[in-house]
């Protein structure tokens, strides 16, 4: 059954997606399925049944005139629609991207926690009243951690550059490969939801250590001094989880977007159809960084003022602004 | 020997309309009946069949509607013949009779074909 499905989907992959072509595909599938089922009922082996169904399928050229796809069928034989992107490469790409997501997130993590060094050593210095050596160590640790973070980011950037032509050249994935990517993505979505939630919760809860440690300061001042370090540590872990998981999810979407949007094969990505088209490139760029920017503004405002009870107002406001922009600057039709 | 698809192409419509004459039917059922009635001498390709459906529907000879199979409960697209489809079928039958009559005059029978002159 799977073989027949693959065969049919591959035949239709590069055709434009129109209601007539969908209907043709579904009707042909109905007939093939019926024939296959009956062959099996008549005691044929699965291989025999698949062979018969495919042999008796015919040729799409017969439908060319009725469906108005003649030019596509000709085109296909003249110029290749894109380089094939086989399943092994897909697996290699996904594995590579997953590793890269980890490295990038780790780099970001080190950059964020680099400020913990000075805070922690500063607290020790304050506590032992020995500013000299401890203060210097703190200053050094900031640069060491930041250097490690940036180093990892550079490494991961260079490491992934071998895949950079994915966005530039035109590749296509066949039906079974697309199906595989899609299934893998669906499987990962649960993990993604969990990691994202934990990441966001950690970022929000990061204000708790300073609050609690404030209370401990009665016992020992050192708690109060280094409470900021814990805040950044929690934010660092939270951001690590968010970045890693989002990047991994993004790699599936990148692959699913390889097939041309207006063909049957490209219709596989539901969120691709939903992605709105904007009137100009500039708007599209602004919109793509809208939510990260809002998040940054929220965090900056919150951490600068610690007025958490009123900074949340950014989110509903941003939501309204986002839908206003989306609806007014969206490309019509 | 197998039948040449070029020759039979003009008569796929006739076969389909014949099978729809009594009651509506769906894709696989029709292809099965064609295979059965022709004693497996002609097996219609799926694409040929679907192409005939769309063409005849466009010309108004048949109409399609979705329906559920009583036995299996599976939903399929059914086709039924229209009045102009019946008229078209009669025309095609007359045409075939004529074709057969004319071409028949030039088909050798029996011993004569085996001789050299």
């Amino acid at each position: 059954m799977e073989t027949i499905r693959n065969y049919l989907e591959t035949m239709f992959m590069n055709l434009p997606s129109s209601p007539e072509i969908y209907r043709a595909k579904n009707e042909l599938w109905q007939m093939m399925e019926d024939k296959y089922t009956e062959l099996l009922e008549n005691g044929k082996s699965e291989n025999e049944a698949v062979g018969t169904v495919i042999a008796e399928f015919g040729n799409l050229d017969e439908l060319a005139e009725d469906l108005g796809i003649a030019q596509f069928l000709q085109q296909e034989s003249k110029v290749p629609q894109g380089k094939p992107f086989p399943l092994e490469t897909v697996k290699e790409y996904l594995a590579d991207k997953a590793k890269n997501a980890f490295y990038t997130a780790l780099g970001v993590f080190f950059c964020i926690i680099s400020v913990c060094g000075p805070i922690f050593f500063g607290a020790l210095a304050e506590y032992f009243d020995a500013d000299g050596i401890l203060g210097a160590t703190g200053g050094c640790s900031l640069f060491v951690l930041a250097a490690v973070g940036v180093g990892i980011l550079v490494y991961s950037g260079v490491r992934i550059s071998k895949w950079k032509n994915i966005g530039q050249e035109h590749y296509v994935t066949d039906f079974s490969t697309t199906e595989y990517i899609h299934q893998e993505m669906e499987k990962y979505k649960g993990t993604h939801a969990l990691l994202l939630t934990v990441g966001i919760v950690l970022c929000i809860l990061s204000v708790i250590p300073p609050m609690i440690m404030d209370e401990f300061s009665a016992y020992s001042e050192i708690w109060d001094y280094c409470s900021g370090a814990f805040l950044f540590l929690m934010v660092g872990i939270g951001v690590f989880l968010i970045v890693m998981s989002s990047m991994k999810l993004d790699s599936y979407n990148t692959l699913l977007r390889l097939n041309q949007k207006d063909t049957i094969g490209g219709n596989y990505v539901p969120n691709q159809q939903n992605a709105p088209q904007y009137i100009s490139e500039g708007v599209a760029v602004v919109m793509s960084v809208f939510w990260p920017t809002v998040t940054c503004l929220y965090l900056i405002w919150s951490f600068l003022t610690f007025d958490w009870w009123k900074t949340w107002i950014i989110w509903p406001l941003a939501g309204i602004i986002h839908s206003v922009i989306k609806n007014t600057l969206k490309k019509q039709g | 020997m197998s039948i040449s698809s070029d020759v039979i192409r003009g008569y796929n419509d006739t076969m389909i309309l014949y099978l729809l004459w009594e009651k509506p039917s769906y894709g696989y059922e029709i292809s099965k009946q064609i295979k059965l009635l022709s004693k497996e001498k002609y097996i219609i390709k799926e694409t040929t069949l679907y192409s005939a459906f769309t063409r005849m529907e466009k010309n108004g000879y048949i109409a399609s509607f979705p329906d559920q199979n009583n036995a299996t409960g599976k939903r399929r697209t059914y086709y039924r013949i229209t009045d102009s489809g019946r008229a078209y079928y009669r025309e095609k039958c007359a045409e075939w009779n004529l074709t057969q009559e004319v071409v028949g005059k030039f088909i050798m029978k029996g011993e004569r074909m085996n001789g050299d002159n």
Side-chain angles (χ1 to χ4, degrees):
Chain A
M1 192 81 111
E2 192 64 10
T3 317
I4 302 177
R5 185 87 220 180
N6 285 349
Y7 176 77
L8 185 67
E9 293 285 349
T10 309
M11 296 283 272
F12 273 85
M13 201 174 78
N14 288 323
L15 298 181
S17 69
S18 73
E20 292 82 31
I21 291 175
Y22 260 109
R23 201 186 144 199
K25 195 178 76 156
N26 288 338
E27 290 290 302
L28 289 168
W29 171 240
Q30 262 183 28
M31 292 192 240
M32 292 170 107
E33 200 185 17
D34 283 343
K35 187 179 266 182
Y36 177 77
T37 317
E38 190 156 306
L39 285 168
L40 285 191
E41 276 166 13
N42 292 345
K44 288 276 188 308
S45 78
E46 199 173 313
N47 283 339
E48 269 180 296
V50 168
T52 310
V53 170
I54 289 178
E56 292 175 5
F57 172 76
N59 195 324
L60 275 193
D61 288 340
E62 286 193 79
L63 299 175
E65 209 177 307
D66 302 311
L67 297 176
I69 52 173
Q71 77 269 32
F72 290 96
L73 290 173
Q74 277 167 6
Q75 220 177 54
E76 197 183 11
S77 52
K78 273 185 210 140
V79 273
Q81 294 278 314
K83 286 187 203 166
F85 203 79
L87 188 60
E88 302 85 75
T89 322
V90 163
K91 285 180 179 164
E92 198 188 324
Y93 175 80
L94 288 176
D96 237 10
K97 274 286 190 181
K99 263 187 220 156
N100 205 58
F102 174 78
Y103 287 133
T104 309
L106 196 67
V108 173
F109 171 76
F110 275 110
C111 287
I112 292 176
I113 65 156
S114 63
V115 292
C116 291
I119 298 177
F120 181 68
F121 285 105
L124 286 181
E126 198 80 21
Y127 186 72
F128 291 112
D129 210 7
D131 200 25
I133 183 85
L134 286 170
T137 316
C140 291
S141 69
L142 174 106
F143 288 104
V144 169
L145 287 171
V148 169
V150 173
I152 295 173
L153 285 176
V154 170
Y155 170 71
S156 74
V158 173
R159 205 179 150 273
I160 211 68
S161 62
K162 72 167 169 171
W163 296 106
K164 69 174 185 291
N165 55 350
I166 275 198
Q168 292 158 359
E169 286 172 53
H170 187 196
Y171 286 99
V172 286
T173 54
D174 64 15
F175 173 69
S176 56
T177 311
T178 319
E179 178 91 317
Y180 169 81
I181 303 165
H182 195 248
Q183 274 169 5
E184 287 296 300
M185 184 170 89
E186 288 301 317
K187 265 192 253 166
Y188 184 67
K189 271 185 179 165
T191 318
H192 174 67
L194 184 73
L195 292 178
L196 196 67
T197 312
V198 173
I200 292 170
V201 166
L202 278 175
C203 284
I204 295 171
L205 293 185
S206 64
V207 294
I208 289 181
M211 286 171 168
I212 297 176
M213 287 169 173
D214 228 18
E215 301 304 313
F216 280 112
S217 59
Y219 305 102
S220 169
E221 291 244 294
I222 195 166
W223 290 112
D224 193 20
Y225 293 140
C226 65
S227 62
F230 285 90
L231 181 142
F232 283 104
L233 191 63
M234 277 180 82
V235 171
I237 296 172
V239 171
F240 171 82
L241 294 177
I242 296 171
V243 170
M244 184 178 72
S245 192
S246 303
M247 282 185 71
K248 192 169 171 200
L249 191 72
D250 193 53
S251 63
Y252 296 109
N253 276 320
T254 309
L255 288 182
L256 287 176
R257 270 189 224 104
L258 287 179
N259 288 342
Q260 260 179 340
K261 243 184 245 179
D262 49 355
T263 63
I264 295 263
N267 260 329
Y268 219 79
V269 202
N271 50 2
Q272 177 172 308
Q273 286 160 304
N274 296 341
Q277 299 281 310
Y278 293 106
I279 46 171
S280 75
E281 282 280 304
V283 181
V285 170
V286 171
M287 288 307 271
S288 68
V289 295
F290 184 87
W291 289 114
T293 312
V294 169
T295 313
C296 280
L297 286 177
Y298 170 74
L299 290 174
I300 291 169
W301 185 16
S302 304
F303 282 123
L304 286 180
T305 64
F306 274 88
D307 289 340
W308 296 89
W309 50 275
K310 65 179 175 195
T311 52
W312 61 268
I313 194 76
I314 279 188
W315 295 108
L317 276 178
I320 295 167
I321 294 169
H322 187 262
S323 49
V324 168
I325 300 179
K326 199 167 106 181
N327 288 314
T328 48
L329 298 179
K330 195 165 58 183
K331 205 185 267 172
Q332 300 299 322
Chain B
M1 75 175 269
S2 71
I3 208 154
S4 140
S5 64
D6 275 343
V7 171
I8 209 153
R9 182 169 296 138
Y11 289 91
N12 284 323
D13 293 3
T14 318
M15 292 183 229
I16 296 167
L17 291 171
Y18 170 85
L19 292 168
L20 291 176
W21 197 268
E22 305 291 342
K23 60 175 179 49
S25 186
Y26 59 90
Y28 177 61
E29 181 65 35
I30 291 172
S31 87
K32 198 167 75 174
Q33 287 300 327
I34 291 176
K35 187 170 152 187
L36 214 68
L37 288 177
S38 71
K39 300 205 173 72
E40 305 205 1
K41 289 195 181 78
Y42 180 50
I43 293 168
I44 191 164
K45 307 264 188 205
E46 262 77 32
T47 49
T48 312
L49 188 57
Y50 183 71
S51 146
F53 283 153
T54 46
R55 201 161 9 81
M56 287 205 286
E57 195 175 11
K58 216 178 274 170
N59 293 335
Y61 302 146
I62 56 170
S64 67
F65 61 98
D67 201 10
Q68 222 154 354
N69 186 309
N70 291 332
T72 60
K74 200 181 158 191
R75 287 194 73 81
R76 290 194 183 86
T77 308
Y78 279 73
Y79 296 91
R80 66 177 168 75
I81 189 166
T82 63
D83 288 342
S84 63
R86 289 179 201 273
Y88 175 65
Y89 174 77
R90 289 192 189 98
E91 252 172 58
K92 290 297 281 188
C93 286
E95 185 194 297
W96 172 250
N97 285 331
L98 187 64
T99 311
Q100 205 183 14
E101 192 190 317
V102 172
V103 179
K105 303 264 186 248
F106 303 92
I107 301 295
M108 292 182 189
K109 289 204 179 64
E111 285 297 296
R112 201 177 147 199
M113 204 171 357
N114 299 326
D116 278 346
N117 39 42

